[in-house]
Amino acid sequence: MPTPKGDLLQGTLDLLILKTVALGPLHGYLIAQRIRQISKEVLQVRQGSLYPALHRLEERGLLDAEWGTTETGREAKFYKLSRKGRAQLDRETATWDQMARAIYAILQTAE
Amino acid sequence: MDDKLDRELRSHLQHQVEAYVAAGMSREEAERRARLDFGGIEQTKEDIREARRWHVFSVLGRDVRYGLRMLRKNPAFTAVAVLSLALGIGANTAIFTLIDAVLLRMLPVKDPQQLVSLRLDDSKVHGNHWTDGDSSTAYPYPSYEQMRDRNQTLSSLIAFKTLGRLNTQVNGVAELARGQLATANYFSALGVQIILGRDFSDTDDRSGAEPVAIISHGYWQRRFGSDPAVAGRSLVINNVSFTVIGVTAPEFFGLQAGNQIDLSVPFHVQPQMLPDLANNGPSLFTANNRWWIELMGRLKSGVTEEQARANLEVIYLQSLSDATAKEKDDTKQEPPVQVVSGARGLMNLRNAYSQPLWILMTVVGVVLLIACANVANLLLARATERRKEIAVRLAMGATRARLIRQLVIESLLLAVLGGAGGLIFAYWGSNVLVAMMRTDYNRMTFDLHPDFTILGFTALACILTTLLFGLMPAFRATRVELTSALKLSSLALGGQRMRLSKTLVVTQVALSLVLLFGAGLFVRTLVNLQTQNVGFVRDNLLLFGIAPREAGYNDARFAALCREVQDRASRLPGVKSATSSLHLLLSGSQRGQSIKVPGYSPAPKENMSVRVLPVGTSFLSTMGMALLQGRDLTEHDDENAPKVALINQTMAKKYWPNQDPLGRHFSMGKMDLEIVGVVQDSKYSSLRRDAGAVVYHPMVQDIATMHSMHFEVRTAGDAAALIPQVRDLVRSIDSRLPLFDVRTQTQQIDELLLQERLFAKLTTFFAALALLLVCVGLYGIMSYTVSRRTSEIGIRMALGAQRETILGMVLREALLLVSIGVVLGVAGAYGAAKAADAVVSGLLFGLKITDASAIVVASLVMVAVAIFAGFLPARRASRVDPMVALRYE
């Protein structure tokens, strides 16, 4: 699977996207915005990585997509989490949590 | 897809622009920044497409791997399914290969779609030309020259004349070859490459030019051992010495699929090489009332066939002199010129074979349907076994679409394996077919190598069969009530599947009954043709022919030679008697001539032509034909004696009804003939048609019109055993005379019945194949029924049922299925017979298409097969141990 380019850990972008759209349908631009805002500008998702990831997730059935209009009246493709995507998000979140704890535990050990 | 991608990315850009504008930038600045932020749009699109594609492949790959694993796990199932499909697809591909080679493939020349073949639509024209179907292909030579020089619609126009049997000698070895007269522009206009030596030049095709020949690649390999220095070597054709100047490219076979042309020579050698084509008339190159050459042209670009037709017709009509127009007093109107596509070569062979080939294609199509039904049944059975697996996967969250895809991919894998096997069967099978169509005289050669058309056809067959046999079981298999499937055993379910399977088996039975019926019709046709009374004794008769004119024999020497050959052949040990005739009976060749009968006034437009057979002495006694009145021809009826004839019954009845024809006279051409005997009717050139009126007269009294002669030798024992002696005999008389048509009368009839035999064999073979598939299908379903009902049978036996009762019970069920199938099949066969009447009836002989005996035999065979296929499962059922059976699941 092609890895997201940029500073994100491999597979992390997928997880971030799934989490971002878990609250409700969003289009690509807003997904990128949301990730940036919530991470307090730390995580910048480049469009060149975002869109391939969105399409890959859609193809795997983790995201459902449909066309709609934004509040500003613009046409945009909205992504939302599918049933399968939710299961995947839960699994991935658990795995990530476990991983983060493990890494943190190692980092905390006294020298 | 691409469009949507574009819209999505554009929408993103606009959002960004708006955000920047809201932050206080000017619109231009905002757009510039947004574009900069985004980076390469095209690159992004490519990445997106890549992400999607990659995903599809990874899923497909997983399904294929999984499918292959499932097939490997059930080798018996896989083998039966793949073999069924391979036979079905192979049969279809084999017949399609022939259809492609004979009917569909374009000529291997430059831009074949520009070629047009010129014909005359001539139900009315009479003349010295041959016809094929309702239009003739022959034109006079002067018309060709005018059309070639004066037309505005063709970029080139070529002429040719196909020659059947040429007597050739290379290095002193004599052989018969097929050739053609061709105009000098023949190869250049067609765009056929001369791979060795040179093409014809205009000076080659002139009266008095040095005779030159261009040979085919095959002939070059066969007779010249692929000599690279063949240009300049000499070659004798009909006693004229030619210089070989070139060799054509290997893919070029002539203009007619199946008829390989060995040699091409310029038109103007005709007077030396084939003097009797002119029939002692004026030169063929100046006579505009002799239709004898065929034309093919290449359209200029942008010109339609109709424009060319109109253009050429004007020139054609002008080229015929007034004299010609007067000669055809019965029709003032000239037949219109026809221009038809020549992209696939000449029509003749295609006409002869198209109908039989399409009938065979239908037959193999039905075989494939039966094979599909078999595989569908196997899949249904397996689906029941896999019920638990499928239920588990559904419970784990797999979607139904996903499972159907998986199952269809498994089916596709089966079809592809079957298709691969089918290609092998087909390559082998189509070669066997062509070998069966080939005779000594007609060496059919086709290019049967699988090309893209054939591979495409096979691929299409694979996909279609997959849909046919795989889709329904896949839908059926995935329609699962989860809870019940997980709880219950596989055997307790499947009532619906039984109904579906039984429907499939009934369909198979019905379809194969139709095939059996068809095979029965063709077999009986063959038997009828073979066993009918032909009017002479066909066993122990050896035949051969010689063509001494090409070796320079004049009339007197020709007659003397025929007498000597006949006389010495009759004195060979083991020979009872010998005779001679211009044509052989039942060879397909015949001579027809118009007669005038004093005292008989023909109706207007009545056809006064009769069939004529010039014969040697002892013809009737050697052939075993019955003389009804008068006397046989003797050696006293020679060149100097009064001209005499024997006539057959039909002729006697027609022209001398209620009179004694003996001693009467009639005229035929320049001859006045006296009737000396009446002969019983017999077949002449065809086994299907009656001969009509036939005249037998001494060949020596009309020898000038003949250039070859055949001999019939009646032997005491096996006729074929005498072939070496006959060859030695002719060689001892003149070693330059090659023998042709050497065969027994029975072989000759077999050759005449080639197509009928081929048809009977093939339809029987395919019907047998269908039966075999039905057997497998029936056996499968009965075995399955028995295993499903094991506990029921156990209870019955425990309650006292006899083994015979159980045996009968199962057999009755098999018979019931078959009976339903047979009833449907009989109805289907009659329906098919009605629908195919126009196409098929012409191929039958001595029976109607709705022949009752054929259908009865087909039904009986079907029932016998049912008993056979049902017996093993029935016996297994009758041997069930009640104790075991009751504990069974």
Side-chain angles (χ1 to χ4, degrees):
Chain A
M1 209 167 281
T3 57
K5 298 182 187 82
D7 303 321
L8 284 173
L9 212 59
Q10 184 173 353
T12 324
L13 177 62
D14 288 3
L15 178 58
L16 293 182
I17 292 171
L18 291 179
K19 180 70 188 173
T20 314
V21 297
L23 301 168
L26 288 176
H27 55 80
Y29 178 77
L30 278 185
I31 294 172
Q33 290 290 320
R34 200 60 64 81
I35 290 175
R36 212 182 59 186
Q37 284 163 6
I38 296 175
S39 69
K40 308 213 167 52
E41 313 281 321
V42 173
L43 296 174
Q44 305 260 2
V45 184
R46 298 192 57 80
Q47 291 77 352
S49 316
L50 174 69
Y51 283 95
L54 284 173
H55 282 260
R56 188 173 55 242
L57 292 171
E58 184 192 351
E59 193 66 26
R60 281 172 63 191
L62 301 178
L63 293 181
D64 290 334
E66 63 185 333
W67 286 83
T69 41
T70 62
E71 56 271 42
T72 56
R74 258 182 214 297
E75 172 188 52
K77 191 175 175 188
F78 285 83
Y79 293 89
K80 72 171 195 232
L81 208 55
S82 71
R83 224 184 58 187
K84 208 169 147 192
R86 179 153 317 265
Q88 177 81 359
L89 174 61
D90 292 347
R91 255 196 312 279
E92 295 269 310
T93 311
T95 314
W96 177 261
D97 214 36
Q98 209 177 355
M99 190 73 79
R101 268 185 232 277
I103 294 171
Y104 191 67
I106 291 169
L107 295 180
Q108 287 300 302
T109 45
E111 282 175 41
Chain B
M1 167 74 211
D2 248 32
D3 180 49
K4 285 194 175 157
L5 257 185
D6 215 51
R7 270 161 61 199
E8 187 178 8
L9 297 185
R10 204 171 299 283
S11 147
H12 178 102
L13 270 175
Q14 280 162 350
H15 278 104
Q16 185 69 66
V17 171
E18 272 160 28
Y20 282 138
V21 170
M25 279 187 207
S26 74
R27 186 154 278 275
E28 290 76 37
E29 177 65 8
E31 273 174 14
R32 206 182 58 78
R33 277 286 301 275
R35 223 172 278 280
L36 221 61
D37 286 352
F38 201 95
I41 290 188
E42 285 313 312
Q43 181 58 47
T44 308
K45 277 196 204 163
E46 194 42 54
D47 288 346
I48 292 171
R49 278 193 285 266
E50 179 72 16
R52 281 184 170 267
R53 204 158 34 223
W54 199 88
H55 180 73
V56 170
F57 276 119
S58 76
V59 169
L60 259 182
R62 206 167 54 215
D63 281 355
V64 168
R65 272 196 308 278
Y66 185 77
L68 282 174
R69 207 160 59 225
M70 290 309 290
L71 295 185
R72 260 205 310 274
K73 258 173 64 184
N74 289 286
F77 159 81
T78 309
V80 174
V82 168
L83 194 66
S84 296
L85 289 172
L87 289 172
I89 295 177
N92 277 270
T93 308
I95 299 295
F96 180 78
T97 304
L98 278 183
I99 288 190
D100 182 49
V102 179
L103 304 175
L104 306 179
R105 202 171 287 185
M106 298 242 190
L107 286 177
V109 302
K110 201 176 116 230
D111 297 328
Q113 68 285 352
Q114 294 174 347
L115 293 180
V116 288
S117 167
L118 270 54
R119 307 162 73 85
L120 290 171
D121 186 3
D122 79 322
S123 25
K124 290 181 185 128
V125 178
H126 311 291
N128 301 304
H129 66 281
W130 55 280
T131 65
D132 114 72
D134 359 302
S135 61
S136 71
T137 54
Y139 282 80
Y141 192 84
S143 303
Y144 161 69
E145 288 181 316
Q146 300 225 9
M147 288 157 90
R148 177 194 61 198
D149 298 339
R150 291 175 44 208
N151 83 78
Q152 293 100 40
T153 45
L154 301 177
S155 58
S156 50
L157 181 64
I158 60 167
F160 53 95
K161 163 82 182 162
T162 307
L163 308 167
R165 196 159 23 205
L166 294 173
N167 184 349
T168 66
Q169 269 175 278
V170 177
N171 290 338
V173 183
E175 195 200 50
L176 292 171
R178 303 172 73 82
Q180 64 181 358
L181 299 175
T183 46
N185 61 351
Y186 182 89
F187 294 108
S188 54
L190 287 174
V192 173
Q193 262 194 310
I194 306 293
I195 55 160
L196 206 61
R198 65 169 177 92
D199 195 356
F200 290 132
S201 69
D202 286 340
T203 48
D204 289 326
D205 193 13
R206 277 190 197 151
S207 186
E210 188 72 17
V212 292
I214 290 181
I215 60 178
S216 76
H217 193 263
Y219 194 77
W220 173 59
Q221 289 181 322
R222 209 164 62 239
R223 301 306 310 277
F224 289 95
S226 304
D227 178 6
V230 72
R233 283 184 65 176
S234 85
L235 161 71
V236 178
I237 309 174
N238 287 6
N239 260 21
V240 178
S241 183
F242 283 76
T243 306
V244 175
I245 57 165
V247 179
T248 56
E251 67 271 11
F252 185 72
F253 52 77
L255 292 177
Q256 190 173 11
N259 266 349
Q260 179 86 38
I261 293 285
D262 298 321
L263 316 153
S264 302
V265 297
F267 260 98
H268 282 82
V269 299
Q270 175 265 325
Q272 298 106 281
M273 192 175 102
L274 300 152
D276 29 56
L277 261 188
N279 234 339
N280 296 326
S283 164
L284 287 172
F285 297 104
T286 53
N288 54 11
N289 58 352
R290 297 292 306 273
W291 286 261
W292 66 293
I293 62 170
E294 294 185 60
L295 307 184
M296 194 170 259
R298 192 181 277 286
L299 291 177
K300 280 185 183 164
S301 68
V303 173
T304 66
E305 285 174 10
E306 176 51 31
Q307 286 166 340
R309 195 201 69 75
N311 177 225
L312 292 166
E313 185 166 75
V314 172
I315 307 171
Y316 169 66
L317 291 177
Q318 288 167 354
S319 73
L320 303 174
S321 73
D322 299 342
T324 318
K326 269 191 211 116
E327 194 178 274
K328 286 193 279 292
D329 46 10
D330 52 338
T331 53
K332 284 276 179 284
Q333 209 189 341
E334 267 302 316
V337 170
Q338 276 186 321
V339 170
V340 297
S341 167
R344 292 176 176 79
L346 304 176
M347 298 278 289
N348 320 351
L349 195 71
R350 281 155 57 198
N351 285 346
Y353 283 97
S354 86
Q355 217 175 52
L357 280 174
W358 288 118
I359 293 176
L360 284 178
M361 194 75 226
T362 314
V363 167
V364 292
V366 172
V367 171
L368 184 55
L369 272 184
I370 294 174
C372 281
N374 248 4
V375 180
N377 243 341
L378 286 170
L379 284 175
L380 280 173
R382 219 163 60 107
T384 316
E385 284 160 24
R386 288 172 68 176
R387 233 181 156 80
K388 269 185 181 166
E389 173 208 331
I390 286 165
V392 167
R393 292 181 65 182
L394 281 172
M396 296 283 284
T399 60
R400 187 168 172 216
R402 170 89 178 69
L403 281 181
I404 289 178
R405 186 177 66 201
Q406 171 65 46
L407 291 174
V408 169
I409 281 179
E410 279 182 45
S411 300
L412 191 62
L413 283 174
L414 282 177
V416 167
L417 289 175
L423 272 180
I424 298 169
F425 276 132
Y427 183 66
W428 171 80
S430 54
N431 278 295
V432 170
L433 274 177
V434 171
M436 283 164 81
M437 284 155 75
R438 213 172 273 154
T439 64
D440 292 343
Y441 175 51
N442 196 349
R443 294 188 309 255
M444 294 234 199
T445 29
F446 292 109
D447 179 13
L448 297 173
H449 288 279
D451 61 3
F452 281 110
T453 324
I454 290 161
L455 290 178
F457 173 85
T458 311
L460 198 69
C462 286
I463 291 168
L464 276 179
T465 49
T466 307
L467 293 180
L468 265 176
F469 73 73
L471 216 49
M472 192 186 45
F475 273 100
R476 178 56 58 91
T478 52
R479 206 171 63 199
V480 176
E481 297 294 329
L482 278 187
T483 42
S484 61
L486 287 173
K487 268 189 255 144
L488 293 178
S489 79
S490 59
L491 289 184
L493 285 158
Q496 275 195 323
R497 116 130 179 94
M498 288 305 291
R499 253 201 314 284
L500 194 59
S501 295
K502 283 177 179 169
T503 314
L504 282 172
V505 168
V506 166
T507 316
Q508 284 183 311
V509 169
L511 287 176
S512 63
L513 187 80
V514 175
L515 291 191
L516 274 175
F517 169 64
L521 290 180
F522 290 117
V523 168
R524 285 210 41 210
T525 293
L526 181 65
V527 171
N528 287 350
L529 283 168
Q530 277 174 334
T531 54
Q532 68 171 328
N533 181 13
V534 292
F536 61 89
V537 184
R538 57 178 109 189
D539 298 327
N540 298 339
L541 201 56
L542 178 64
L543 316 170
F544 62 94
I546 53 174
R549 293 284 191 190
E550 280 90 29
Y553 280 74
N554 62 19
D555 291 352
R557 286 185 58 215
F558 186 8
L561 174 74
C562 293
R563 285 193 175 103
E564 187 184 357
V565 171
Q566 178 180 331
D567 183 50
R568 287 181 54 179
S570 69
R571 285 189 279 115
L572 282 175
V575 170
K576 286 179 170 169
S577 66
T579 186
S580 49
S581 57
L582 174 61
H583 294 303
L584 293 170
L585 291 180
L586 299 180
S587 64
S589 303
Q590 59 177 351
R591 171 180 271 204
Q593 267 178 288
S594 274
I595 57 164
K596 288 202 181 85
V597 179
Y600 179 88
S601 44
K605 293 213 173 178
E606 180 178 334
N607 187 353
M608 286 295 285
S609 73
V610 295
R611 295 197 162 87
V612 180
L613 186 62
V615 296
T617 54
S618 330
F619 184 74
L620 297 186
S621 55
T622 303
M623 298 304 286
M625 286 162 77
L627 182 68
L628 300 176
Q629 258 185 296
R631 64 169 179 88
D632 197 352
L633 301 172
T634 70
E635 67 268 27
H636 300 298
D637 301 311
D638 61 12
E639 292 90 329
N640 306 314
K643 300 208 173 0
V644 293
L646 304 172
I647 61 171
N648 71 348
Q649 274 174 294
T650 305
M651 180 154 171
K653 270 187 213 134
K654 181 169 179 201
Y655 297 107
W656 295 275
N658 310 316
Q659 301 169 51
D660 182 4
L662 291 187
R664 306 264 179 179
H665 285 248
F666 64 96
S667 65
M668 188 167 79
K670 291 184 191 123
M671 290 186 290
D672 177 66
L673 300 164
E674 183 190 332
I675 298 168
V676 294
V678 177
V679 186
Q680 190 160 37
D681 283 344
S682 71
K683 298 281 176 180
Y684 185 167
S685 67
S686 157
L687 274 169
R688 286 174 181 266
R689 283 186 306 274
D690 285 329
V694 181
V695 171
Y696 305 88
H697 73 111
M699 49 115 176
V700 290
Q701 295 188 342
D702 194 21
I703 197 84
T705 63
M706 290 162 229
H707 41 92
S708 62
M709 189 56 63
H710 287 91
F711 296 85
E712 292 94 349
V713 180
R714 176 71 65 190
T715 59
D718 178 23
L722 255 90
I723 291 176
Q725 281 94 311
V726 166
R727 281 191 191 281
D728 286 345
L729 170 72
V730 176
R731 197 175 302 129
S732 73
I733 296 173
D734 186 340
S735 63
R736 293 169 308 160
L737 292 176
L739 248 54
F740 54 81
D741 290 347
V742 186
R743 62 191 79 152
T744 66
Q745 182 71 51
T746 10
Q747 284 170 340
Q748 163 112 355
I749 291 177
D750 281 352
E751 196 154 309
L752 196 65
L753 292 176
L754 183 72
Q755 187 179 321
E756 283 83 357
R757 217 147 21 96
L758 199 61
F759 238 72
K761 270 189 199 165
L762 289 180
T763 49
T764 308
F765 174 76
F766 290 132
L769 194 61
L771 264 186
L772 182 73
L773 291 171
V774 170
C775 256
V776 172
L778 199 61
Y779 173 82
I781 183 118
M782 291 321 292
S783 302
Y784 187 74
T785 312
V786 168
S787 69
R788 255 189 81 221
R789 290 170 62 178
T790 303
S791 30
E792 179 208 325
I793 292 168
I795 293 171
R796 283 174 187 267
M797 291 184 96
L799 293 177
Q802 295 300 303
R803 288 192 188 286
E804 293 72 37
T805 322
I806 303 293
L807 192 76
M809 185 181 80
V810 178
L811 271 182
R812 253 198 314 282
E813 194 175 333
L815 270 176
L816 180 70
L817 283 181
V818 171
S819 306
I820 300 173
V822 165
V823 169
L824 290 175
V826 168
Y830 273 109
K834 277 238 167 66
D837 193 17
V839 185
V840 176
S841 281
L843 299 173
L844 302 180
F845 181 81
L847 74 168
K848 280 218 279 287
I849 193 166
T850 48
D851 187 69
S853 64
I855 204 113
V856 169
V857 170
S859 307
L860 287 179
V861 169
M862 203 68 242
V863 170
V865 163
I867 294 174
F868 173 71
F871 183 72
L872 288 179
R875 202 181 55 172
R876 192 164 349 117
S878 72
R879 296 208 173 147
V880 162
D881 181 341
M883 290 317 291
V884 176
L886 289 172
R887 272 190 230 116
Y888 194 71
E889 275 208 269

